[in-house]
Amino acid sequence: MRNHEYLWPGIAALLLALCFPVYWLYIFHLSSDNFMEVYKADLLKLSWSDLAFVLIGALEVYVYLSLRRSFAERLQSGSAAVLLLVMTLLVVAFHATVVVDLVIVFSGGVMPDAQLSMIAETTVAVALGILFAYAVVAFVLAIVLLLKRTAASGLLKCFAVVLLLCCVLQFSIFLSPGTIFLFPVALLLLAFYFLKEPQELELV
């Protein structure tokens, strides 16, 4: 009998693996000439990209919380569960930057360019700081999963390796756009992990 308990998390991971690269490729294409000017213009209005940003964040939070629950049931690893919770909170904080758009739009969407530039630069700096913190926590999680001697199949180990590579790319800054293509691979591995036959992953 197949495991239907994690059917929806598996579907969410698959959907996120599809939406994540499409969204970020669109954003990079849109802002390839002058990122800050494009971002400042985006702050003054709400668009479908803002909704997509929120939905991607919601899917990622759901996947991480489901993975945390799975770890509690199958892996019995407290450290991995805590790290996943921290990652979830960082994802919430990163995607909560859309609140800046909402505040500006509902306050009239008119302000001096200097003030708008300051808000845009501050928001980008905070977002980058959150992404760096996320990469640090994800790096530690990958190491924890790789060091755990468990009865797990290769799926979790492969996920940990891909997550580790994503973090390395993120740390390098210049190679960070590579995560657009590599992170969906990690999500696909999580989808297979959720959808495969349940099994206990006891520590030894």
Side-chain angles (χ1 to χ4, degrees):
M1 181 176 179
R2 293 194 59 79
N3 177 27
H4 294 289
E5 183 181 1
Y6 289 97
L7 175 63
W8 287 112
I11 293 174
L14 289 173
L15 185 58
L16 186 57
L18 175 64
C19 295
F20 184 88
V22 171
Y23 173 81
W24 286 109
L25 284 174
Y26 169 75
I27 294 299
F28 272 93
H29 171 72
L30 195 66
S31 58
S32 57
D33 293 332
N34 192 327
F35 172 77
M36 286 306 300
E37 291 302 319
V38 172
Y39 182 61
K40 283 164 56 179
D42 182 70
L43 285 175
L44 298 174
K45 64 182 187 303
L46 294 177
S47 63
W48 287 106
S49 63
D50 295 314
L51 178 59
F53 183 69
V54 172
L55 288 176
I56 286 174
L59 283 172
E60 193 169 355
V61 166
Y62 178 60
V63 167
Y64 289 160
L65 290 179
S66 298
L67 185 62
R68 184 172 184 266
R69 179 163 60 94
S70 173
F71 280 1
E73 296 172 355
R74 305 178 186 180
L75 192 60
Q76 303 297 318
S77 175
S79 57
V82 170
L83 290 167
L84 274 170
L85 180 59
V86 175
M87 287 171 61
T88 301
L89 294 175
L90 289 171
V91 169
V92 170
F94 177 72
H95 287 269
T97 55
V98 76
V99 172
V100 177
D101 297 56
L102 294 173
V103 171
I104 292 176
V105 169
F106 288 109
S107 64
V110 178
M111 64 177 58
D113 186 68
Q115 184 180 357
L116 181 62
S117 295
M118 183 186 69
I119 293 174
E121 291 169 3
T122 302
T123 304
V124 169
V126 170
L128 290 176
I130 294 172
L131 285 178
F132 180 80
Y134 170 90
V136 171
V137 178
F139 184 89
V140 176
L141 174 64
I143 295 297
V144 167
L145 292 178
L146 288 172
L147 291 180
K148 290 290 184 183
R149 296 182 58 199
T150 72
S153 66
L155 281 175
L156 278 182
K157 298 296 184 182
C158 290
F159 165 73
V161 169
V162 175
L163 183 62
L164 194 65
L165 292 175
C166 287
C167 295
V168 171
L169 291 179
Q170 198 70 32
F171 292 145
S172 69
I173 299 178
F174 294 108
L175 297 177
S176 58
T179 57
I180 294 176
F181 305 100
L182 194 56
F183 187 59
V185 177
L187 292 170
L188 289 175
L189 290 170
L190 282 185
F192 295 145
Y193 169 77
F194 284 133
L195 297 173
K196 74 186 185 74
E197 293 288 346
Q199 60 178 332
E200 294 296 325
L201 307 178
E202 297 180 355
L203 298 180
V204 295

